[in-house]
Amino acid sequence: MIEVSHRVAAPTHAVWAALERIEDHTTWMKDAIAIRFDGEQLRGVGTRIEVDTRVGPLRTVDKMEFVRWEPGVAMGVKHQGLIDGTGEFTLAGHGDATTVTWREELRFPWYFAGRFGAAVAGPVLRRIWRGNLERLADRCS
């Protein structure tokens, strides 16, 4: 499991307002190049997206379905692409600040070295996602 957290100098409702705009995630996620919705639904459980993802020289299309959607609390996805697993953002309010936690449980296919590939990718993804949360914080402040 990969987990990163960042304290945002904004109340939970402001952070959620930025987070729920899935179509804007490419503005603060360095590894997300483009997002396409699979269907008319843009918010909530059941929303499906395809994300063109790039980490260094590696590129893939990450297919996701939102399986948790609790405004101001949490947003969770099931990855259904080349790399599968689950991911979740959770928000914890602290007055005028919010801690955003991003957790991912990813399974890499054998041709990406399976568990070994996941272990090697962990520190790289952690660094990228920490930067992503910092950019999200800048959008909310």
Side-chain angles (χ1 to χ4, degrees), residues 47-116:
T47 301
R48 292 184 317 270
I49 60 174
E50 293 182 353
V51 181
D52 295 337
T53 303
R54 183 183 69 218
V55 176
L58 302 175
R59 295 172 186 257
T60 188
V61 176
D62 190 6
K63 297 178 182 182
M64 291 179 254
E65 181 174 349
F66 287 81
V67 296
R68 184 175 182 198
W69 191 278
E70 296 179 51
V73 177
M75 171 187 294
V77 298
K78 180 178 180 190
H79 296 275
Q80 302 166 325
L82 179 65
I83 297 169
D84 67 0
T86 59
E88 185 172 72
F89 291 107
T90 57
L91 307 180
H94 312 283
D96 287 340
T98 304
T99 298
V100 181
T101 300
W102 185 350
R103 289 182 193 87
E104 295 276 352
E105 181 98 19
L106 302 173
R107 289 178 294 283
F108 284 60
W110 65 269
Y111 46 86
F112 278 172
R115 287 185 183 178
F116 178 74

